[in-house]
Amino acid sequence: VNEVGLPVDYRMLEINPQFEKLTGHNREVFLDGRTVREIAPELKEAWYAFYGSVALTGVPAHRDIHAEAWNRWFEVSAYPTGRPERRQVGIFFSDITERKRVEQQLTEFNTRLEQQVAKRTQELRESRDLLHAIAESQSAYISAFKAVRDKHGRIVDLEYIFVNSITKQLDGRHPATGQHLLEIFPELKKSGCLDSYRRVIETGVRDDREVFYDDGQLTGWFRSNTTPLGDGVLMVGENITARKQAEQERLRTLRLLEQ
């Protein structure tokens, strides 16, 4: 220790043959009476502080230390030995360079993976936001559903996973994400719409139809285009009542002309 009681150096008293293998130095070099700082001046201060702390406090310690001079990692355990006033420390250390190399590779891999996941997440978020903006800009009624199945795997309902604003305002019932289709529109079960959606999911074949709808609140002609979407469907609808009325008027006019 120095004049203020801080550890600054140490001297080897005994070493085993394994020490020579781990460090690449002959034991005679470390046992010729010189201090370690004299023998290996390149050794970092972390070693002196670690051993010195154990010598002064009498408290055993354990840590991993990088020996830059030898470009190796060591797992080191130090414990006090002999009379306290002699400040002697027993040391066990093993070469863990390979383990540290693998840990570093795993850390680098995890970092790259996290970066890739973060990038992909951002791309998906941007894609979702773009699709949401497109859906909200349309005059069509757009809804996305996933299948709700019973214990036998049969589709018994559909759950909203997306619904644009115009659909929410369609007839005042305001469907929302997480709700079930038949909870909001129970009449669709009798109308055959659920059967149509089920066929699209099970066959993967898109369905495009024009139907007349009247639930007491909403009346008119609608075109429904249903596309498979994983274990669900994407439904795009539009109100074609004005077009249907115009077609019917043209048909009446044609009949009058024929007469």
Side-chain angles (χ1 to χ4, degrees), residues 4 22 33 38 57 63 88 94 107-108 118 125 131 139 153 155 168 174 196 201 203 215 220 230 238 244:
V4 295
L22 291 176
E38 292 172 330
T57 65
R63 65 181 297 185
Q88 292 182 349
S94 56
T107 299
E108 293 173 354
R125 184 180 295 112
L131 291 173
S139 59
I155 298 174
K168 295 178 182 179
H174 309 295
S196 172
I201 296 172
T203 65
D215 65 356
E238 58 178 321
K244 282 291 187 178

Side-chain angles (χ1 to χ4, degrees), residues 50-56 77-81 86-91:
F50 178 50
Y51 297 153
S53 174
V54 175
L56 293 177
S77 296
Y79 61 94
T81 182
R86 300 190 64 181
R87 302 193 188 99
Q88 292 182 349
V89 178
I91 304 166

Side-chain angles (χ1 to χ4, degrees), residues 25-44:
H25 294 278
N26 293 327
R27 67 193 307 270
E28 289 77 11
V29 173
F30 285 93
L31 298 178
D32 62 4
R34 290 180 297 167
T35 66
V36 172
R37 194 178 291 275
E38 292 172 330
I39 299 170
E42 70 277 8
L43 204 61
K44 295 299 182 180

Side-chain angles (χ1 to χ4, degrees), residues 7-77:
V8 293
D9 207 346
Y10 61 96
R11 182 180 289 106
M12 293 286 192
L13 301 179
E14 184 58 55
I15 57 178
N16 69 350
Q18 188 65 20
F19 178 88
E20 297 178 289
K21 296 179 181 179
L22 291 176
T23 64
H25 294 278
N26 293 327
R27 67 193 307 270
E28 289 77 11
V29 173
F30 285 93
L31 298 178
D32 62 4
R34 290 180 297 167
T35 66
V36 172
R37 194 178 291 275
E38 292 172 330
I39 299 170
E42 70 277 8
L43 204 61
K44 295 299 182 180
E45 293 298 323
W47 293 87
Y48 301 104
F50 178 50
Y51 297 153
S53 174
V54 175
L56 293 177
T57 65
V59 178
H62 177 90
R63 65 181 297 185
D64 296 345
I65 303 180
H66 184 223
E68 296 182 2
W70 302 323
N71 192 28
R72 293 181 180 178
W73 277 93
F74 293 97
E75 181 180 14
V76 186
S77 296

Side-chain angles (χ1 to χ4, degrees), residues 145-149 155 157-159 201 231-233:
F145 303 91
K146 69 176 180 180
V148 176
R149 299 176 179 270
I155 298 174
D157 206 339
L158 297 175
E159 179 183 331
I201 296 172
D231 191 33
V233 292

Side-chain angles (χ1 to χ4, degrees), residues 21-208:
K21 296 179 181 179
L22 291 176
T23 64
H25 294 278
N26 293 327
R27 67 193 307 270
E28 289 77 11
V29 173
F30 285 93
L31 298 178
D32 62 4
R34 290 180 297 167
T35 66
V36 172
R37 194 178 291 275
E38 292 172 330
I39 299 170
E42 70 277 8
L43 204 61
K44 295 299 182 180
E45 293 298 323
W47 293 87
Y48 301 104
F50 178 50
Y51 297 153
S53 174
V54 175
L56 293 177
T57 65
V59 178
H62 177 90
R63 65 181 297 185
D64 296 345
I65 303 180
H66 184 223
E68 296 182 2
W70 302 323
N71 192 28
R72 293 181 180 178
W73 277 93
F74 293 97
E75 181 180 14
V76 186
S77 296
Y79 61 94
T81 182
R83 295 193 301 272
E85 64 272 13
R86 300 190 64 181
R87 302 193 188 99
Q88 292 182 349
V89 178
I91 304 166
F92 289 101
F93 67 100
S94 56
D95 190 335
I96 57 171
T97 304
E98 181 62 19
R99 190 189 81 191
K100 285 291 186 178
R101 185 187 66 81
V102 173
E103 289 176 354
Q104 179 63 27
Q105 290 178 339
L106 289 174
T107 299
E108 293 173 354
F109 173 78
N110 287 335
T111 299
R112 290 195 301 270
L113 183 61
E114 289 173 359
Q115 292 172 345
Q116 293 172 357
V117 170
K119 180 180 178 181
R120 181 57 177 159
T121 300
Q122 180 62 26
E123 291 174 348
L124 291 173
R125 184 180 295 112
E126 292 174 354
S127 298
R128 181 199 63 192
D129 293 343
L130 175 60
L131 291 173
H132 186 273
I134 292 173
E136 290 294 345
S137 69
Q138 304 300 308
S139 59
Y141 308 111
I142 302 177
S143 301
F145 303 91
K146 69 176 180 180
V148 176
R149 299 176 179 270
D150 61 17
K151 62 181 181 180
H152 303 295
R154 177 177 171 79
I155 298 174
V156 295
D157 206 339
L158 297 175
E159 179 183 331
Y160 282 95
I161 58 175
F162 174 79
V163 54
N164 69 345
S165 298
I166 192 171
T167 304
K168 295 178 182 179
Q169 302 165 6
L170 183 59
D171 71 347
R173 284 189 262 191
H174 309 295
T177 301
Q179 293 181 315
H180 288 183
L181 178 66
L182 296 183
E183 292 176 356
I184 310 300
F185 302 98
E187 66 277 5
L188 293 182
K189 187 173 184 179
K190 294 182 178 180
S191 70
C193 285
L194 182 62
D195 292 333
S196 172
Y197 297 151
R198 184 186 296 118
R199 281 194 298 271
V200 172
I201 296 172
E202 293 175 346
T203 65
V205 179
R206 187 177 65 180
D207 180 78
D208 193 345

